[in-house]
Amino acid sequence: MNTDPNINPLAVAPVLHPVKILLVDDLPENLVSLESLLSKEDEHITYLFASSGEEALKIALQEELALILLDVQMPGMNGYEVARYLRDISKTRDIPIIFVTAINEQDAHVIEGFEAGAVDFLFKPLHPYITKAKVSTFVRFYQQKKELERVNKLTLEVNQELEERVKARTSELTRVNKDLDNFVYTASHDLKAPINNIEGLMVALDETLQETGQDQQEVAPIMQMIHDAIGRFKNTLQDLTEVAKVQYEETAGYESISFKEILEDVKLNIKDLIRKYDATITDDFSQVPDIVFSRKNLRSIIYNLVSNSIKYSSPDRKPEIAITTSRGEGFTLFSVRDNGLGIKKQDQQKVFGMFKRLHAHVEGTGVGLAIVKRIVENCDGNIEFDSEIDSGTVFKVYLKT
């Protein structure tokens, strides 16, 4: 269904195309008689006459013909010779030819005619009904062929228009996204200074209260809440900066990286989280131990997926995370499977959205998976997941190789 008001709907109403039929006979009275037999009122058919084989060839090269009715026995170049010449010329080889002959209906003549390029025969004296029926059939085929060509041309024009519009809109979206990334990066960078100043002022206020010996019992909870808010704000700014920076990662930083090496580095970085949840992490990189990729980006993918698998674990069981790689046609599949809380069906479309937090009890800004998705798609990859409530989730990352 076309929903763009600026694109005209494809016209599919059939059109009656003009038809030209060439009648070839060395006797003028036969040509007049044949035209009279075939002619109908209100018909878009023009009958052209040729009284020799040479004249027939000349007309066939100049006109677009739907059909040729060709007499076999003519002085000079006979009908079979004309048909063979027409078959040797690219412009005329597809014009259907019906031989009109007074020769007895013998197998030898019929075979010679078909070998010369005929599609059918009419034997004199012509039967009006049979003659009209055969000619009407080829006229109908011609009309259908021209209509198909017209519809194909219209379809091509519409497709080209759509492609141009998609290209223009893609370019516009790319520009808007780049502007948005620049804004996010600039805003997050410019906000760091004032938030650091606020944090510094809070430290100074805390020290002043302590020096003056005032009772801090009443203000201590408020001070802690302010410190926590500042911390969350700083984390959000950091994540926004990372989202914007991902867009500008260059492939020049690609190198051969060991999955195991990156995973061990991530595990060392989140060792407190692993210890807190008593998580078990197993891995199998035997099928694809290495990949040519950005080290920083691969670490970000593994860090976010693994840490999320731990943080969103079920309170009823210890988290178990299984990490594997496998090779597909043109890609490496990196999988992270857990036995955690799972994701509700109605929430699954929100997973990769910015600032989407599906479980309020877990700390975070809700941009980790958005970063992963952008990293993966920027390198022509894909990320998807399967999840079942209270059973766990598996994230599958397809990295182009």
Side-chain angles (χ1 to χ4, degrees):
M1 179 179 181
N2 176 28
T3 58
D4 192 333
N6 297 316
I7 296 179
N8 295 325
L10 181 63
V12 292
V15 174
L16 193 60
H17 299 272
V19 175
K20 293 181 181 180
I21 297 177
L22 176 61
L23 309 179
V24 186
D25 198 302
D26 60 305
L27 298 177
E29 60 270 25
N30 287 349
L31 293 173
V32 173
S33 175
L34 186 55
E35 181 192 25
S36 178
L37 186 153
L38 294 173
S39 292
K40 298 177 184 177
E41 293 184 0
D42 302 326
E43 196 173 51
H44 291 69
I45 299 179
T46 302
Y47 295 96
L48 307 176
F49 293 169
S51 57
S52 67
E54 292 82 358
E55 188 179 359
L57 290 175
K58 182 179 179 181
I59 294 174
L61 288 170
Q62 292 175 341
E63 304 285 350
E64 183 179 355
L65 301 175
L67 177 65
I68 299 176
L69 273 69
L70 179 60
D71 184 33
V72 173
Q73 294 176 297
M74 294 186 296
M77 183 182 294
N78 66 35
Y80 296 146
E81 293 173 311
V82 173
R84 291 191 184 98
Y85 272 110
L86 291 172
R87 288 296 163 266
D88 290 337
I89 302 172
S90 60
K91 184 179 186 298
T92 60
R93 66 167 52 109
D94 294 325
I95 303 173
I97 298 172
I98 297 178
F99 279 130
V100 182
T101 180
I103 301 175
N104 292 333
E105 191 174 346
Q106 297 175 358
D107 289 346
H109 295 298
V110 173
I111 291 171
E112 184 180 1
F114 283 123
E115 287 178 348
V119 294
D120 207 342
F121 270 84
L122 286 170
F123 294 94
K124 297 178 181 179
L126 298 177
H127 190 292
Y129 179 81
I130 294 175
T131 303
K132 291 178 181 178
K134 288 187 177 183
V135 170
S136 295
T137 298
F138 285 103
V139 168
R140 187 164 61 252
F141 287 162
Y142 177 80
Q143 288 278 7
Q144 291 172 347
K145 172 189 159 189
K146 298 302 293 182
E147 183 64 12
L148 182 60
E149 290 175 356
R150 184 181 74 91
V151 172
N152 285 341
K153 182 180 178 182
L154 287 173
T155 303
L156 180 61
E157 290 173 355
V158 171
N159 285 341
Q160 287 176 338
E161 184 178 358
L162 285 171
E163 287 175 5
E164 288 299 320
R165 289 181 177 275
V166 168
K167 186 176 179 181
R169 290 179 181 179
T170 301
S171 177
E172 177 66 14
L173 285 173
T174 300
R175 185 190 65 78
V176 170
N177 283 337
K178 187 173 182 179
D179 289 344
L180 181 59
D181 288 333
N182 287 335
F183 169 77
V184 169
Y185 185 80
T186 302
S188 60
H189 183 270
D190 291 348
L191 286 172
K192 286 180 181 178
I195 199 64
N196 286 336
N197 288 339
I198 293 173
E199 186 177 30
L201 290 172
M202 289 303 303
V203 171
L205 176 61
D206 190 34
E207 291 175 350
T208 301
L209 290 174
Q210 291 181 23
E211 289 173 359
T212 58
Q214 296 186 28
D215 184 11
Q216 300 185 46
Q217 230 175 4
E218 293 183 2
V219 298
I222 298 176
M223 295 287 287
Q224 186 59 47
M225 290 169 63
I226 295 175
H227 281 299
D228 291 344
I230 291 172
R232 287 194 299 271
F233 191 45
K234 290 177 68 176
N235 289 336
T236 301
L237 288 180
Q238 180 60 37
D239 286 341
L240 282 173
T241 303
E242 287 300 314
V243 170
K245 285 169 60 179
V246 166
Q247 187 68 25
Y248 304 102
E249 289 295 330
E250 298 291 338
T251 56
Y254 280 26
E255 59 182 292
S256 180
I257 314 165
S258 163
F259 281 103
K260 183 72 172 178
E261 177 189 339
I262 299 297
L263 176 60
E264 291 303 320
D265 178 57
V266 168
K267 286 164 65 175
L268 183 63
N269 189 256
I270 60 172
K271 61 181 185 299
D272 293 338
L273 185 66
I274 295 173
R275 187 181 302 111
K276 175 183 176 182
Y277 287 86
D278 195 16
T280 300
I281 301 175
T282 60
D283 62 78
D284 181 2
F285 302 127
S286 57
Q287 292 191 43
V288 186
D290 308 297
I291 189 172
V292 176
F293 205 73
S294 161
R295 178 179 294 273
K296 176 180 177 296
N297 285 346
L298 184 61
R299 186 185 186 283
S300 183
I301 292 171
I302 296 176
Y303 174 86
N304 280 289
L305 292 180
V306 173
S307 60
N308 276 1
S309 293
I310 298 173
K311 288 189 289 187
Y312 293 99
S313 60
S314 170
D316 301 328
R317 53 188 174 271
K318 295 179 181 179
E320 296 178 357
I321 297 96
I323 304 169
T324 61
T325 55
S326 60
R327 195 176 303 281
E329 188 173 345
F331 64 86
T332 293
L333 173 58
F334 175 78
S335 300
V336 178
R337 182 184 299 274
D338 65 51
N339 63 340
L341 294 170
I343 304 168
K344 297 177 182 178
K345 290 289 184 183
Q346 62 267 30
D347 290 335
Q348 292 187 3
Q349 72 273 16
K350 306 175 186 176
V351 166
F352 297 110
M354 290 281 288
F355 304 111
K356 299 296 183 182
R357 298 180 59 206
L358 306 182
H359 297 280
H361 68 280
V362 178
E363 292 184 2
T365 58
V367 301
L369 289 178
I371 292 175
V372 171
K373 183 176 176 63
R374 177 170 286 198
I375 289 172
V376 172
E377 292 182 348
N378 279 357
C379 62
D380 298 324
N382 185 43
I383 180 170
E384 58 187 38
F385 67 92
D386 295 312
S387 186
E388 187 175 342
I389 288 296
D390 204 36
S391 292
T393 303
V394 54
F395 279 91
K396 301 175 182 178
V397 181
Y398 298 86
L399 300 173
K400 189 176 180 181
T401 55

